[in-house]
Amino acid sequence: AQSVSQHNHHVILSEAASLELGCNYSYGGTVNLFWYVQYPGQHLQLLLKYFSGDPLVKGIKGFEAEFIKSKFSFNLRKPSVQWSDTAEYFCAVIRGSTLGRLYFGRGTQLTVWP
Amino acid sequence: EPEVTQTPSHQVTQMGQEVILRCVPISNHLYFYWYRQILGQKVEFLVSFYNNEISEKSEIFDDQFSVERPDGSNFTLKIRSTKLEDSAMYFCASSVKLLNNEQYFGPGTRLTVT
């Protein structure tokens, strides 16, 4: 079935470690790609997005993601995580053929130890 | 910064009862969405709404569900005759456009059906 896959269910890191969260999707054609974050007790917030152009996109709080079309991937990275990055991270895709419907990955819980 | 708001934050209802979940999208947004997340599962699309009509609905959005924009500000999701499996977090979202545009999410309503 077509889907959005996040490879890691739970990632545990120490502060200052580097982060990479994987995301793959299986839809062809035009896509809009997103990473959302949900901090404890808060609502989903947009971290970054890719619509077109430069495949390396920068978001808030030092996060970036790279769109690799040939690999159907949109991995999230941060060179040095902080305790405050503890949250759940969701990769999401809008297919160009649908009317704005977001397809979400299962989410990755990131825990950063101080 | 403008926000999507949702009420109530938590709703407990008995099986077979009707519930109405309320959302106030961001004021200049034209597209409105409902998603849900059953505990431990992915965030799933339910329905999108534009110009007082449903634009797209998922296979989950059956005759038990309906949406309405009763006035210029509210966007509601009605669930008739709730079932145990309707227990979930329900998120409302809004956007200016369908594509090449991000969706802004509300904090969610936790629905518990007993």
Side-chain angles (χ1 to χ4, degrees):
Chain A
Q2 296 189 322
S3 68
V4 180
S5 300
Q6 290 184 240
H7 312 304
N8 310 100
H9 182 58
H10 195 178
V11 172
I12 302 172
L13 295 172
S14 298
E15 274 195 320
S18 65
L19 170 72
E20 181 159 2
L21 301 182
C23 173
N24 286 91
Y25 62 94
S26 59
Y27 309 111
T30 302
V31 290
N32 289 173
L33 300 164
F34 305 85
W35 277 96
Y36 281 87
V37 61
Q38 188 172 30
Y39 297 103
Q42 297 188 29
H43 58 276
L44 286 162
Q45 302 171 41
L46 184 72
L47 261 185
L48 46 75
K49 61 198 176 196
Y50 173 81
F51 299 149
S52 64
D54 188 344
L56 184 63
V57 292
K58 295 192 185 299
I60 60 171
K61 304 188 181 186
F63 286 90
E64 65 178 33
E66 185 175 12
F67 169 50
I68 304 180
K69 189 173 182 179
S70 60
K71 294 185 178 180
F72 296 86
S73 71
F74 190 57
N75 291 355
L76 180 71
R77 299 194 291 248
K78 186 171 184 179
S80 176
V81 294
Q82 300 172 306
W83 176 78
S84 57
D85 293 324
T86 294
E88 189 148 21
Y89 292 80
F90 296 91
C91 180
V93 177
I94 291 178
R95 301 165 59 189
S97 58
T98 63
L99 299 173
R101 171 178 181 168
L102 269 169
Y103 293 84
F104 280 87
R106 189 170 288 275
T108 297
Q109 175 63 47
L110 171 66
T111 301
V112 180
W113 294 105
Chain B
E1 187 175 328
E3 298 185 324
V4 176
T5 59
Q6 290 185 242
T7 54
S9 57
H10 192 185
Q11 173 94 46
V12 181
T13 190
Q14 289 191 324
M15 199 166 50
Q17 296 297 304
E18 174 183 287
V19 295
I20 298 176
L21 309 183
R22 291 183 167 78
C23 168
V24 179
I26 294 173
S27 61
N28 65 330
H29 287 190
L30 302 176
Y31 297 87
F32 314 115
Y33 313 85
W34 283 101
Y35 294 84
R36 78 172 186 191
Q37 186 179 28
I38 295 171
L39 190 63
Q41 297 187 23
K42 289 187 181 186
V43 177
E44 302 172 291
F45 170 83
L46 292 176
V47 66
S48 58
F49 191 86
Y50 169 71
N51 199 26
N52 280 322
E53 289 184 345
I54 290 175
S55 302
E56 187 184 5
K57 59 184 181 179
S58 72
E59 52 284 354
I60 302 167
F61 194 90
D62 60 21
D63 291 343
Q64 180 195 10
F65 294 91
S66 61
V67 288
E68 193 179 28
R69 189 152 161 83
D71 53 41
S73 59
N74 290 282
F75 178 51
T76 62
L77 174 69
K78 183 189 289 186
I79 310 174
R80 286 182 281 276
S81 190
T82 49
K83 300 178 268 198
L84 292 175
E85 54 265 37
D86 294 327
S87 294
M89 182 72 91
Y90 288 80
F91 296 104
C92 174
S94 68
S95 67
V96 175
K97 302 185 293 182
L98 276 178
L99 276 179
N100 298 334
N101 197 226
E102 68 182 271
Q103 294 177 21
Y104 290 80
F105 282 80
T109 292
R110 180 167 298 284
L111 176 65
T112 302
V113 182
T114 61

